[in-house]
Amino acid sequence: MKDLHVLLYKLNNYGIRGVVYQWFKNYLSNKKQFTSLPGVSSKTRSISMGVPKAQFWGRYCFSCMSMIFTKLFLNAKVKLFADDINLFLYDKNLCTLFDRAKTCPQHMSKWLIANRISLDVDKTCFCVLVMREKIIMTFN
């Protein structure tokens, strides 16, 4: 997540205000990090984007950001897990399925840009599964 202001705005819209809002603002702001190996440590640097992934509240913030994502795609199933989103499209007709799939990257791109979230292209994949009754296409 590139811009914490977007997340804080969403939290406010979800009704998180007052002391709890201030707690989230403090939790997400002024973060610093460093790397430490036996005998050596890097310099401490400020972090201006992202949320802590290994902590409960980081996953909660991701859920707040991605909640609306599940509503973007009609006739699709969206599965959220930690900081990953899986999109499943299905249809009995392969041509229809590919036509629907062509619009997915455009919708995803608009949502990512609007929410100032970057996509890790190295972790992104596309898969088509053919079953007897229907064809399933996934974006991970």
Side-chain angles (χ1 to χ4, degrees):
M1 186 173 316
K2 288 185 177 181
D3 193 337
L4 297 177
H5 298 291
V6 174
L7 174 57
L8 291 170
Y9 176 80
K10 287 187 183 287
L11 290 172
N12 187 53
N13 282 342
Y14 292 144
I16 297 174
R17 297 187 181 93
V19 174
V20 176
Y21 175 86
Q22 196 59 44
W23 182 88
F24 270 105
K25 187 174 181 180
N26 291 337
Y27 171 75
L28 296 168
S29 301
N30 302 316
K31 294 284 186 191
K32 297 184 185 294
Q33 71 180 16
F34 70 95
T35 302
S36 179
L37 298 170
V40 64
S41 294
S42 69
K43 292 182 180 179
T44 301
R45 295 190 181 213
S46 295
I47 303 171
S48 61
M49 60 181 130
V51 295
K53 291 184 179 183
Q55 299 173 354
F56 170 80
W57 291 113
R59 293 187 301 273
Y60 176 82
C61 292
F62 174 77
S63 294
C64 287
M65 287 298 292
S66 56
M67 216 179 296
I68 194 69
F69 189 85
T70 61
K71 308 293 184 211
L72 289 178
F73 301 98
L74 302 174
N75 301 319
K77 292 190 187 257
V78 178
K79 301 290 182 184
L80 305 175
F81 179 75
D83 65 344
D84 291 324
I85 297 175
N86 294 309
L87 176 65
F88 297 89
L89 303 170
Y90 49 90
D91 201 288
K92 291 182 179 182
N93 183 297
L94 187 59
C95 291
T96 304
L97 183 62
F98 276 103
D99 286 342
R100 285 184 28 224
K102 288 177 188 175
T103 64
C104 288
Q106 296 160 346
H107 288 354
M108 284 188 262
S109 179
K110 286 179 185 177
W111 182 81
L112 290 166
I113 290 168
N115 288 282
R116 298 183 183 181
I117 297 175
S118 60
L119 177 68
D120 187 347
V121 179
D122 292 333
K123 288 178 53 182
T124 303
C125 66
F126 171 80
C127 177
V128 178
L129 305 170
V130 179
M131 300 170 63
R132 285 186 184 170
E133 298 297 317
K134 58 184 159 186
I135 303 163
I136 300 173
M137 186 176 297
T138 68
F139 293 87
N140 295 1

